Amino acid sequence: MSLKIAMTKSMLLIVGILFQLPVFAQVTVQVITKKIEKTYNYQDGYELNIEGEKAQVSIESWDQDKISITLEITAKHPDKAIAERDLEAMQYLTQKVKNKIYLRNYLSPKEGAPAPEASFEAVYYVRVPPACPVYLKNYFGVANISNLNNRFRFNGEFSKIDLENISGSIDLRSRFGDIFGNHLDGIVNIWSRRSNVTLNDIRGSFDITAQYGTLRIFAEDRLLKLNIDAEKSDVYFFNPNPEFYGYTLTANNGNVVFPGELSYEEEDNKADQRKIKFKPPREYFANITITVTIGDIHVEKATQPKM
């Protein structure tokens, strides 16, 4: 067989294989959206409750005595008819009951309807007076909250939350969703599981319980109290003047890293525990109590947060 004939047969074989390969064409996704807008007059004592599912929630304050709500619900599918059909399966609720205003979106197909095939997304854009208390539940979503000064509560699963300039009574509970807070001030309680917690410029009184995560806390000199009880977690505390605080740091099955220039007291080491204490030579100071089981504690002098 000549070289020319062999090359020709080889080229035909390659062309035949290429024709048998699947063709990956670009699929056009149909996007169907419905928009809901509501406005409620606000009075002292009112509270806003939001329950989101697969939702992006943005809540911020404004200078009006009204609660403004915009909710956009979207269904996406290559088949427009399926997207339109499935959009009806994502239900929503907006209502006022006495002094509470409720917002909710949830997946609930009509009886007898086929199981939804589209992907869904709900986007909340909410503006409230700064003193309006807010309670947010969110599942498989993300939330951005800013400039509230009364009471804020959050309960989330698989939902990241960002907080900016929040003061007052703050209660955060998160599973599988990271917490980021900037300029938090007040009485703050945080419970997290399999979530990282990053707080910058915190003030006031903080109680944090955490499991399976990394905690990074940066405080200025207006922190009143910080209690952390963590399990299978590493805790980092940063402050430009760590010598201004009193510390009780306990690491069970872990280590404690503390500024070497500070003369701290250390209890007799147990085989699986390290515990150190430090009291500053000042009349008034805030106490930092950190207990970690299976994890390390780091106290560092820092003028900028290590985020």
Side-chain angles (χ1 to χ4, degrees):
M1 182 183 295
S2 68
L3 178 61
K4 182 176 181 181
I5 294 175
M7 290 179 62
T8 301
K9 288 186 176 181
S10 297
M11 292 176 64
L12 289 173
L13 178 61
I14 293 171
V15 171
I17 293 173
L18 289 174
F19 274 111
Q20 294 179 38
L21 293 175
V23 177
F24 295 97
Q26 185 175 359
V27 177
T28 301
V29 176
Q30 304 295 324
V31 180
I32 307 298
T33 301
K34 59 183 174 185
K35 185 175 182 179
I36 302 97
E37 294 181 311
K38 290 275 189 178
T39 300
Y40 295 92
N41 291 324
Y42 176 77
Q43 298 179 15
D44 289 342
Y46 279 17
E47 180 179 272
L48 177 64
N49 288 258
I50 300 176
E51 185 170 347
E53 183 175 338
K54 298 182 179 180
Q56 298 181 27
V57 181
S58 176
I59 304 173
E60 64 179 5
S61 66
W62 64 345
D63 60 357
Q64 298 190 37
D65 288 330
K66 297 179 184 294
I67 296 174
S68 172
I69 300 158
T70 300
L71 170 59
E72 293 184 353
I73 299 176
T74 299
K76 301 178 182 180
H77 194 274
D79 189 324
K80 183 178 180 181
I82 292 177
E84 291 176 337
R85 179 201 71 194
D86 288 353
L87 184 63
E88 300 305 313
M90 182 60 82
Q91 304 293 317
Y92 68 91
L93 170 71
T94 62
Q95 66 176 358
K96 178 179 174 295
V97 179
K98 296 184 178 179
N99 66 331
K100 288 184 170 57
I101 297 168
Y102 294 95
L103 311 178
R104 183 187 176 199
N105 74 284
Y106 56 99
L107 194 61
S108 179
K110 294 181 179 179
E111 186 176 353
E117 301 175 45
S119 60
F120 296 95
E121 183 180 76
V123 178
Y124 291 81
Y125 177 48
V126 180
R127 290 178 292 181
V128 300
C132 177
V134 176
Y135 181 27
L136 170 63
K137 294 181 181 179
N138 205 18
Y139 309 100
F140 300 95
V142 62
N144 292 278
I145 317 298
S146 60
N147 302 316
L148 303 180
N149 62 20
N150 190 341
R151 184 173 71 249
F152 177 75
R153 294 179 292 160
F154 172 75
N155 193 333
E157 294 186 11
F158 299 93
S159 295
K160 173 177 171 286
I161 184 168
D162 282 90
L163 302 152
E164 176 74 29
N165 193 31
I166 309 296
S167 61
S169 175
I170 303 169
D171 189 87
L172 310 174
R173 299 180 64 86
S174 180
R175 293 179 67 250
F176 298 94
D178 293 344
I179 297 172
F180 294 85
N182 193 36
H183 304 299
L184 304 186
D185 186 0
I187 299 175
V188 182
N189 290 279
I190 298 175
W191 181 94
S192 66
R193 182 176 175 85
R194 297 195 181 277
S195 307
N196 295 326
V197 178
T198 303
L199 305 177
N200 175 38
D201 191 14
I202 62 170
R203 306 171 182 185
S205 176
F206 284 72
D207 286 285
I208 301 174
T209 302
Q211 297 174 318
Y212 304 97
T214 299
L215 285 70
R216 295 181 178 271
I217 314 295
F218 180 85
E220 292 289 355
D221 294 332
R222 290 178 57 188
L223 181 63
L224 301 179
K225 182 192 74 172
L226 174 63
N227 289 333
I228 298 177
D229 188 355
E231 180 182 352
K232 296 181 180 178
S233 305
D234 292 328
V235 177
Y236 297 81
F237 178 76
F238 305 103
N239 187 270
N241 300 296
E243 68 276 13
F244 288 177
Y245 294 92
Y247 297 90
T248 301
L249 310 175
T250 306
N252 300 298
N253 291 299
N255 195 20
V256 178
V257 179
F258 195 75
E261 66 272 19
L262 301 183
S263 299
Y264 56 85
E265 297 179 2
E266 184 163 3
E267 294 188 359
D268 293 338
N269 284 343
K270 298 180 182 178
D272 57 354
Q273 183 186 84
R274 187 179 182 197
K275 185 173 184 177
I276 71 173
K277 292 185 177 183
F278 174 82
K279 183 178 179 180
R282 309 174 70 190
E283 184 176 0
Y284 301 104
F285 56 88
N287 284 302
I288 310 296
T289 303
I290 303 175
T291 301
V292 174
T293 301
I294 309 180
D296 297 334
I297 302 170
H298 298 257
V299 176
E300 299 182 20
K301 184 171 184 175
T303 56
Q304 295 293 330
K306 297 183 178 183
M307 300 303 177

